[in-house]
Structure formats: structure tokens, C-alpha cells
Amino acid sequence: MPPPSVKDQILKYQHPISGLFPLNPKDPHCKFSHVRDSVYCATVLWALHRSLTRIDDDAGRHYELGQCAVKCMRAILIGWMQQSSRLEQFKKSQNLDTCLNSRLDYETGEPIDDPNYKNLQMDCVGLFVIQLAQMIASGLQVVYTRDEVAFMQNLVFYLERAYRIPDYGMWERGTKQNRNMVELNASSIGMAKAALECIAGLNVYGAEGSHSSILLMDIDAHSRNRIILSNLLPRESASKGCDASLMP
């Protein structure tokens, strides 16, 4: 019996319209798509695209995989652009009511407004920016218009203050005691710091861009993130004993 292909394991779950991946692939009625999970799936497709690029006779598979990855990343980008007003408010007041939603509608790609869900996850935005930067650097065209360039710059502003924004983290739980309280997480600050390093000076149009499509970063904000991260490690947070990067 041949091993399952990438179409059987990943591509068949990508929505043909939105381009997102479901939160629970085993549930045919799942209506949610988490940004983090979709970015992971897009990263797998992009990695396969890169590996197949070296093969001459690949029947166009590398192009298809690359475009599927682009479709997913653009779905997240467009979904977040629908929350531009929230992002502008987040610059002034960093809290659960103004942060970007971490979940999108699986079928339409629209943000899911659930007041009971813990959307404040800085690592989620950082992960998206890191993978987007890598895809652009590899030659894929993900950002198309000037409005999208401006929004990407706003995402940089969003991440620059991660060092002082307590969030729910990658576990979506806040403190270890599950009291629905946010705290500074080393994984979130580290992801934001890595994203700032990836995106600084990057031309999001790729080789075809001009100086107007280059993203800028506040070096002082990067230094503050680095200092706070160094002070937190090796702990994940005040209530969690070990950072995720140190777990075997």
C-alpha cells in the first residue's frame, strides 16, 4: 500500500474558497480555522514546494504547492485586514477587545467575533509574520497591493510592543492556574522578536519592489523585547516554570 500523499494528508482539507484549514479536520462540520494551525499547514506546503523546485520533471507539483501556500497566507492576511480598525485601536489600548482575532471562519475567511475566546495571542501574529517573510524571501509573491504593504507595516507596529503586553500565549490559557488572567510569556515575546528580525528591511514585493514596499522596525523596540526575553528565560512566565523552546 503506497504511503498517503500530501493531497490526502493536507490539501484535501484546504477550503477551495477561503484557502484556510479547519481547526479540527476530523469534524466535517467544523466552522473554525485557527491562524496558527493554518500557518503550520502553509509552511508544510511551502517546504515541499521548495524541495520539489530542485526536481526538473515534477509535473508542476512545486508550483501548485507554492500557490496553495500563498492562498492560505493571503486568506489570513485578508481576514486580518478586515480588522484594521481593531489594529489601530490596539496601538492605543492593548487588550482583549482590540487585539486581532486568532480564529477565522473556515468557509468565508471572516474573523470570528467570540467574546469568550482568548484571542490575545502575540505569538500567533509573530508566527504569521515570520513565515510570510520566509515565503517572500524564497520568491513567492504574497503581498500584492500598497494597502497590504501598509497593513504589514502595521503588523510590525503590533509586534513591537510585545515586551509589555501580557497575553494568553500559545496555550491559550493565560496563567498556569487557569484563572483567565493574562501574563507575559517568553514564547510570545521571543516569537515577536524573531518576527521583527525577519521582517526588518524586507521588501514585501520581493525582487520587483521599490523602496516604498520595504518594512521598517523600531530598533529600540527590538532591544526592549530582547532584554525582557533574556530576563524571563529560562522560565516561560511568572507562573509557568519552563519555556516551550526548552522542552524536549
Side-chain angles (χ1 to χ4, degrees), residues 157-187:
F157 297 151
Y158 189 97
L159 292 170
E160 283 178 344
R161 301 296 177 262
Y163 66 92
R164 66 180 189 188
I165 302 177
D167 69 339
Y168 290 101
M170 64 173 61
W171 290 277
E172 306 174 18
R173 59 185 286 186
T175 59
K176 185 177 181 180
Q177 294 78 19
N178 290 330
R179 297 177 180 175
N180 198 28
M181 297 173 61
V182 294
E183 62 179 351
L184 285 176
N185 290 284
S187 55

Side-chain angles (χ1 to χ4, degrees), residues 3 7 27-28 110 126 138 181 220:
K7 290 186 177 181
D27 182 7
E110 296 180 353
S138 70
M181 297 173 61
D220 291 333

Side-chain angles (χ1 to χ4, degrees), residues 13 28 81 86 128 131 163 173 195:
Y13 298 111
M81 287 184 69
R86 287 174 64 101
F128 171 78
Q131 298 302 336
Y163 66 92
R173 59 185 286 186

Side-chain angles (χ1 to χ4, degrees), residues 12-31:
K12 75 174 184 179
Y13 298 111
Q14 186 175 26
H15 197 276
I17 298 175
S18 70
L20 297 170
F21 292 88
L23 182 62
N24 184 7
K26 296 182 179 180
D27 182 7
H29 304 291
C30 180
K31 300 294 183 181

Side-chain angles (χ1 to χ4, degrees), residues 34-236:
H34 198 288
V35 169
R36 188 183 295 108
D37 296 339
S38 290
V39 170
Y40 287 150
C41 292
T43 302
V44 172
L45 298 176
W46 170 72
L48 289 172
H49 157 78
R50 294 290 294 166
S51 63
L52 289 175
T53 302
R54 298 176 177 269
I55 302 176
D56 294 332
D57 185 18
D58 66 339
R61 287 179 295 172
H62 85 281
Y63 178 80
E64 178 186 4
L65 291 170
Q67 293 306 112
C68 288
V70 169
K71 184 177 183 179
C72 179
M73 298 298 284
R74 282 194 56 79
I76 299 172
L77 177 62
I78 294 172
W80 275 348
M81 287 184 69
Q82 297 180 46
Q83 306 175 72
S84 298
S85 59
R86 287 174 64 101
L87 193 150
E88 291 296 330
Q89 295 174 10
F90 189 83
K91 295 179 186 178
K92 304 175 183 178
S93 176
Q94 296 85 26
N95 55 54
L96 187 60
D97 297 326
T98 60
C99 66
L100 294 174
N101 288 355
S102 299
R103 295 190 304 176
L104 304 174
D105 189 282
Y106 171 55
E107 297 179 349
T108 65
E110 296 180 353
I112 297 176
D113 190 11
D114 184 359
N116 297 320
Y117 182 72
K118 303 173 178 63
N119 281 302
L120 186 52
Q121 302 168 29
M122 299 298 294
D123 67 291
C124 191
V125 181
L127 177 66
F128 171 78
V129 172
I130 289 173
Q131 298 302 336
L132 187 74
Q134 291 189 87
M135 291 181 185
I136 293 173
S138 70
L140 292 178
Q141 190 71 36
V142 185
V143 178
Y144 293 167
T145 66
R146 185 63 58 86
D147 292 333
E148 294 174 1
V149 174
F151 184 80
M152 286 300 303
Q153 183 64 66
N154 269 329
L155 286 184
V156 176
F157 297 151
Y158 189 97
L159 292 170
E160 283 178 344
R161 301 296 177 262
Y163 66 92
R164 66 180 189 188
I165 302 177
D167 69 339
Y168 290 101
M170 64 173 61
W171 290 277
E172 306 174 18
R173 59 185 286 186
T175 59
K176 185 177 181 180
Q177 294 78 19
N178 290 330
R179 297 177 180 175
N180 198 28
M181 297 173 61
V182 294
E183 62 179 351
L184 285 176
N185 290 284
S187 55
S188 296
I189 299 174
M191 195 71 76
K193 174 180 174 291
L196 293 175
E197 293 172 352
C198 285
I199 208 71
L202 177 71
N203 195 317
V204 291
Y205 282 165
E208 305 298 327
S210 64
H211 69 279
S212 62
S213 54
I214 296 177
L215 300 186
L216 305 176
M217 176 196 68
D218 181 6
I219 189 63
D220 291 333
H222 174 269
S223 298
R224 296 186 190 103
N225 278 290
R226 176 181 56 81
I227 293 171
I228 298 300
L229 177 63
S230 299
N231 291 336
L232 277 175
L233 292 176
R235 296 185 64 87
E236 163 66 8

